[in-house]
Amino acid sequence: MNRLAIYCGSASPEDSRYIELARDVGATLAQRGIGVVYGGGRLGLMGALANGALNAGGEVIGVIPEALVGGEVANTDCTRLHVVASMHERKQAFTDLSDGFVTLPGGVGTMDELWEAVSWAQLGYHTKPVGLLNAFGFYDGLIAFNTHMASVGFVRPAHRGILIVEQELDPLLARMAAYEPHRPIFAMKKEEL
């Protein structure tokens, strides 16, 4: 994996562990020679992630919609900053520029990015690993919900392994590197659906 798209919040929670986590993830990826593709912002976890990677000498590619560039939200310190017209173009760029996806804690926008990466994997728009870093148990409820969706039958057995979940970065990256793509919906026959 040469580059990973990192999804995370643009907010700064009161609990400083989240900012430290993002900074550490950025630094660790840079130290391993893995470039960061992210939302291009300078605030919250996004800014901490970029700073961690840049301070460790890593490549940081920001992708930000034009509407968010103003108000000093865009991080002009990135190795490269792509300004795009829409959120859809932003998410397409994340997919095009990366070899996989890692989701850190975040809010609604982060969830949108995560679920689109999973959905596109199910369909067959990409065959890249989708990782979820469940630091501090932040995603326990989401993981339980994902398990519930699968147990009810809304996630096919062939797709239950798409979302790779770990509590720490090292085992998450190891599992992502070993990921074997599943059979996408586009390749399934009618009776398999």
Side-chain angles (χ1 to χ4, degrees):
M1 296 184 295
N2 296 313
R3 284 189 194 130
L4 290 173
I6 310 296
Y7 301 141
C8 59
S10 61
S12 297
E14 287 185 29
D15 187 340
S16 63
R17 296 181 302 170
Y18 294 106
I19 294 292
E20 292 168 18
L21 170 72
R23 189 178 302 113
D24 291 346
V25 166
T28 298
L29 293 176
Q31 291 160 0
R32 293 183 179 196
I34 300 172
V36 168
V37 179
Y38 87 115
R42 63 173 184 80
L43 304 176
L45 273 70
M46 289 187 1
L49 169 78
N51 289 340
L54 289 167
N55 290 340
E59 175 191 46
V60 176
I61 300 173
V63 184
I64 191 166
E66 192 172 10
L68 294 177
V69 172
E72 299 181 10
V73 173
N75 186 351
T76 57
D77 293 332
C78 293
T79 309
R80 282 187 294 176
L81 182 64
H82 297 275
V83 178
V84 295
S86 68
M87 292 298 283
H88 177 75
E89 287 182 45
R90 179 194 220 182
K91 290 184 283 184
Q92 183 65 56
F94 289 152
T95 302
D96 294 343
L97 294 169
S98 71
D99 301 311
F101 313 89
V102 172
T103 300
L104 306 182
V108 173
T110 304
M111 293 300 89
D112 175 51
E113 293 164 340
L114 169 64
W115 289 121
E116 184 162 291
V118 171
S119 176
W120 285 14
Q122 286 181 157
L123 291 168
Y125 285 114
H126 73 77
T127 58
K128 301 171 182 184
V130 181
L132 181 68
L133 187 59
N134 187 29
F136 322 120
F138 182 80
Y139 285 117
D140 287 350
L142 181 110
I143 295 162
F145 179 65
N146 192 53
T147 301
H148 176 66
M149 287 191 299
S151 70
V152 170
F154 286 111
V155 177
R156 292 171 178 83
H159 302 144
R160 291 181 182 174
I162 290 175
L163 187 60
I164 303 167
V165 180
E166 290 290 344
Q167 294 180 350
E168 296 179 5
L169 185 61
D170 287 340
L172 180 63
L173 293 176
R175 286 185 59 202
M176 289 176 67
Y179 175 71
E180 293 288 332
H182 58 282
R183 188 156 187 218
I185 289 173
F186 292 159
M188 291 181 169
K189 297 179 180 169
K190 179 179 159 185
E191 57 272 9
E192 296 176 286
L193 299 173

